Amino acid sequence: MLFDSHAHYNDSHFDNDRFEILESMQENNVGYIMNISDSMKSVLKVLDIAKRYSFVYASVGVHPEETAELCEADMELLEEYTKNPKVKAIGEIGLDYYWDSVPRDVQKKWFVRQIELAKKVNLPVVIHDRDAHGDCMDILRSENVRDVGGILHCYSGSVEMAKEILDFGMYIAFGGTLTFKNARKVREVAEYVPLDRIVIETDCPYLAPEPHRGKRNSSLYIHYVAEKLAEIKGISYEEAERVTCRNAKRCYRIED
Ligand code: NI
């Protein structure tokens, strides 16, 4: 069975067929989905979707681009939400210097605060790092992310950076970009990272893999990522599927 370790079914791109599409997952061999929060507003939707489906789990957290208006009361709310047993991670949290829509100091402040929360409630973190590798690694280092572990999502860094992420005990997630024709750098990282530290994801509705690049993505396309990973690693498709599913369950501490 496949585990989509990062999806956004609360997104408005799914407003017309959210439940239909989720109900088709299990017959298409998608056994687990981690639905990821990205704003305070998204959290309630994410929790509602997780409540409806036994195979859909939830993360709670605020994406760097949504941190402008955050306050301490929001941190208390997030902590309260983590009491829900379907909540398995804090995320997605991190830094985004590509859009740079929120001052960097503000992004950093709430990145640190949310790692502190993860440590307090003992949940792994799901990290978003776009064009912010240096500052992101500084914070992961100084905040001892190793204490909780987690996933660096949609990995876009170097092999050297991957080494340090692995030293933190974290997993590295590959998605649609692994299948893109110009993805030489990310494929080099996938060659380097040991199979037992790799998870796969869609980040749907974004980043659809080839041959659907540019269209709306969903977990129904995650097998293309598993196929590409199998090719890179020189293993069977079945093994890529089995090991990435096991890794995601281990990282998110899902037992069944
Ligand atoms: Ni995402």
Side-chain angles (χ1 to χ4, degrees), residues 22-23 25-26 30-34 50 53-57 86:
L22 284 167
E23 274 149 36
M25 287 300 158
Q26 301 222 289
V30 177
Y32 303 87
I33 294 171
M34 175 56 73
Y53 301 101
S54 60
F55 62 95
V56 179
Y57 295 86
K86 292 299 283 293

mmCIF file of all heavy atoms in Angstrom, residues 22-23 25-26 30-34 50 53-57 86:
data_model
loop_
_atom_site.group_PDB
_atom_site.id
_atom_site.type_symbol
_atom_site.label_atom_id
_atom_site.label_comp_id
_atom_site.label_asym_id
_atom_site.label_seq_id
_atom_site.Cartn_x
_atom_site.Cartn_y
_atom_site.Cartn_z
ATOM 1 N N LEU A 22 -11.480 11.062 -2.072
ATOM 2 C CA LEU A 22 -10.947 10.346 -0.903
ATOM 3 C C LEU A 22 -11.549 8.947 -0.803
ATOM 4 O O LEU A 22 -10.878 7.993 -0.422
ATOM 5 C CB LEU A 22 -11.199 11.155 0.378
ATOM 6 C CG LEU A 22 -10.248 12.345 0.554
ATOM 7 C CD1 LEU A 22 -10.733 13.276 1.655
ATOM 8 C CD2 LEU A 22 -8.822 11.870 0.849
ATOM 9 N N GLU A 23 -12.822 8.820 -1.194
ATOM 10 C CA GLU A 23 -13.455 7.498 -1.122
ATOM 11 C C GLU A 23 -12.921 6.534 -2.177
ATOM 12 O O GLU A 23 -13.154 5.332 -2.073
ATOM 13 C CB GLU A 23 -14.976 7.657 -1.198
ATOM 14 C CG GLU A 23 -15.532 7.916 0.211
ATOM 15 C CD GLU A 23 -16.788 8.777 0.249
ATOM 16 O OE1 GLU A 23 -17.613 8.648 -0.661
ATOM 17 O OE2 GLU A 23 -16.919 9.566 1.208
ATOM 18 N N MET A 25 -9.675 6.170 -2.753
ATOM 19 C CA MET A 25 -8.262 5.907 -2.464
ATOM 20 C C MET A 25 -7.973 4.440 -2.207
ATOM 21 O O MET A 25 -7.047 3.865 -2.763
ATOM 22 C CB MET A 25 -7.794 6.719 -1.246
ATOM 23 C CG MET A 25 -7.641 8.189 -1.521
ATOM 24 S SD MET A 25 -6.448 8.485 -2.812
ATOM 25 C CE MET A 25 -6.963 10.108 -3.350
ATOM 26 N N GLN A 26 -8.765 3.825 -1.344
ATOM 27 C CA GLN A 26 -8.378 2.487 -0.897
ATOM 28 C C GLN A 26 -8.440 1.472 -2.034
ATOM 29 O O GLN A 26 -7.580 0.601 -2.114
ATOM 30 C CB GLN A 26 -9.175 2.107 0.336
ATOM 31 C CG GLN A 26 -8.888 3.150 1.449
ATOM 32 C CD GLN A 26 -8.692 2.579 2.815
ATOM 33 O OE1 GLN A 26 -9.634 2.106 3.439
ATOM 34 N NE2 GLN A 26 -7.465 2.613 3.295
ATOM 35 N N VAL A 30 -4.020 3.294 -2.250
ATOM 36 C CA VAL A 30 -3.480 4.340 -1.370
ATOM 37 C C VAL A 30 -4.033 4.047 0.023
ATOM 38 O O VAL A 30 -5.221 4.243 0.284
ATOM 39 C CB VAL A 30 -3.884 5.750 -1.852
ATOM 40 C CG1 VAL A 30 -3.368 6.811 -0.880
ATOM 41 C CG2 VAL A 30 -3.349 6.005 -3.256
ATOM 42 N N GLY A 31 -3.173 3.565 0.901
ATOM 43 C CA GLY A 31 -3.630 3.062 2.192
ATOM 44 C C GLY A 31 -3.618 4.076 3.310
ATOM 45 O O GLY A 31 -4.321 3.913 4.318
ATOM 46 N N TYR A 32 -2.798 5.120 3.156
ATOM 47 C CA TYR A 32 -2.648 6.126 4.210
ATOM 48 C C TYR A 32 -2.416 7.500 3.577
ATOM 49 O O TYR A 32 -1.684 7.610 2.587
ATOM 50 C CB TYR A 32 -1.432 5.839 5.103
ATOM 51 C CG TYR A 32 -1.435 4.486 5.755
ATOM 52 C CD1 TYR A 32 -0.915 3.383 5.087
ATOM 53 C CD2 TYR A 32 -1.937 4.319 7.045
ATOM 54 C CE1 TYR A 32 -0.897 2.136 5.689
ATOM 55 C CE2 TYR A 32 -1.926 3.074 7.656
ATOM 56 C CZ TYR A 32 -1.403 1.982 6.970
ATOM 57 O OH TYR A 32 -1.393 0.754 7.561
ATOM 58 N N ILE A 33 -3.003 8.513 4.216
ATOM 59 C CA ILE A 33 -2.769 9.897 3.776
ATOM 60 C C ILE A 33 -2.538 10.768 5.007
ATOM 61 O O ILE A 33 -3.304 10.699 5.980
ATOM 62 C CB ILE A 33 -3.985 10.445 2.987
ATOM 63 C CG1 ILE A 33 -4.154 9.681 1.653
ATOM 64 C CG2 ILE A 33 -3.846 11.950 2.734
ATOM 65 C CD1 ILE A 33 -5.440 9.992 0.922
ATOM 66 N N MET A 34 -1.478 11.569 4.964
ATOM 67 C CA MET A 34 -1.285 12.594 5.991
ATOM 68 C C MET A 34 -1.745 13.919 5.393
ATOM 69 O O MET A 34 -1.129 14.443 4.461
ATOM 70 C CB MET A 34 0.191 12.690 6.401
ATOM 71 C CG MET A 34 0.487 13.816 7.381
ATOM 72 S SD MET A 34 -0.491 13.762 8.899
ATOM 73 C CE MET A 34 0.283 12.377 9.731
ATOM 74 N N ALA A 50 -9.986 14.227 8.726
ATOM 75 C CA ALA A 50 -9.379 13.076 9.421
ATOM 76 C C ALA A 50 -10.413 12.299 10.232
ATOM 77 O O ALA A 50 -10.305 11.081 10.393
ATOM 78 C CB ALA A 50 -8.249 13.556 10.318
ATOM 79 N N TYR A 53 -12.429 9.722 7.861
ATOM 80 C CA TYR A 53 -11.778 8.578 7.224
ATOM 81 C C TYR A 53 -10.700 7.998 8.130
ATOM 82 O O TYR A 53 -9.786 8.715 8.533
ATOM 83 C CB TYR A 53 -11.149 8.989 5.889
ATOM 84 C CG TYR A 53 -12.153 9.546 4.919
ATOM 85 C CD1 TYR A 53 -12.263 10.916 4.727
ATOM 86 C CD2 TYR A 53 -13.011 8.704 4.215
ATOM 87 C CE1 TYR A 53 -13.203 11.440 3.850
ATOM 88 C CE2 TYR A 53 -13.959 9.216 3.345
ATOM 89 C CZ TYR A 53 -14.046 10.584 3.168
ATOM 90 O OH TYR A 53 -14.986 11.088 2.309
ATOM 91 N N SER A 54 -10.789 6.697 8.383
ATOM 92 C CA SER A 54 -9.822 6.067 9.280
ATOM 93 C C SER A 54 -8.404 6.146 8.717
ATOM 94 O O SER A 54 -7.436 6.185 9.478
ATOM 95 C CB SER A 54 -10.197 4.611 9.518
ATOM 96 O OG SER A 54 -10.196 3.928 8.283
ATOM 97 N N PHE A 55 -8.246 6.175 7.395
ATOM 98 C CA PHE A 55 -6.905 6.139 6.792
ATOM 99 C C PHE A 55 -6.313 7.526 6.562
ATOM 100 O O PHE A 55 -5.199 7.648 6.060
ATOM 101 C CB PHE A 55 -6.937 5.373 5.459
ATOM 102 C CG PHE A 55 -7.819 6.011 4.412
ATOM 103 C CD1 PHE A 55 -7.284 6.876 3.468
ATOM 104 C CD2 PHE A 55 -9.177 5.754 4.381
ATOM 105 C CE1 PHE A 55 -8.084 7.471 2.501
ATOM 106 C CE2 PHE A 55 -9.997 6.355 3.427
ATOM 107 C CZ PHE A 55 -9.448 7.216 2.486
ATOM 108 N N VAL A 56 -7.065 8.582 6.934
ATOM 109 C CA VAL A 56 -6.543 9.950 6.781
ATOM 110 C C VAL A 56 -6.143 10.487 8.155
ATOM 111 O O VAL A 56 -6.962 10.508 9.085
ATOM 112 C CB VAL A 56 -7.566 10.897 6.126
ATOM 113 C CG1 VAL A 56 -6.994 12.308 6.003
ATOM 114 C CG2 VAL A 56 -7.983 10.375 4.746
ATOM 115 N N TYR A 57 -4.896 10.923 8.275
ATOM 116 C CA TYR A 57 -4.371 11.494 9.519
ATOM 117 C C TYR A 57 -4.212 13.008 9.345
ATOM 118 O O TYR A 57 -4.422 13.539 8.255
ATOM 119 C CB TYR A 57 -3.045 10.814 9.883
ATOM 120 C CG TYR A 57 -3.265 9.350 10.209
ATOM 121 C CD1 TYR A 57 -3.287 8.388 9.196
ATOM 122 C CD2 TYR A 57 -3.515 8.941 11.509
ATOM 123 C CE1 TYR A 57 -3.538 7.054 9.476
ATOM 124 C CE2 TYR A 57 -3.758 7.611 11.803
ATOM 125 C CZ TYR A 57 -3.772 6.673 10.791
ATOM 126 O OH TYR A 57 -4.024 5.359 11.082
ATOM 127 N N LYS A 86 -5.876 11.595 16.140
ATOM 128 C CA LYS A 86 -5.535 11.534 14.703
ATOM 129 C C LYS A 86 -4.424 12.525 14.342
ATOM 130 O O LYS A 86 -3.885 12.483 13.249
ATOM 131 C CB LYS A 86 -6.776 11.822 13.827
ATOM 132 C CG LYS A 86 -7.868 10.775 13.868
ATOM 133 C CD LYS A 86 -7.443 9.390 13.382
ATOM 134 C CE LYS A 86 -7.320 9.187 11.886
ATOM 135 N NZ LYS A 86 -8.544 9.246 11.120
#
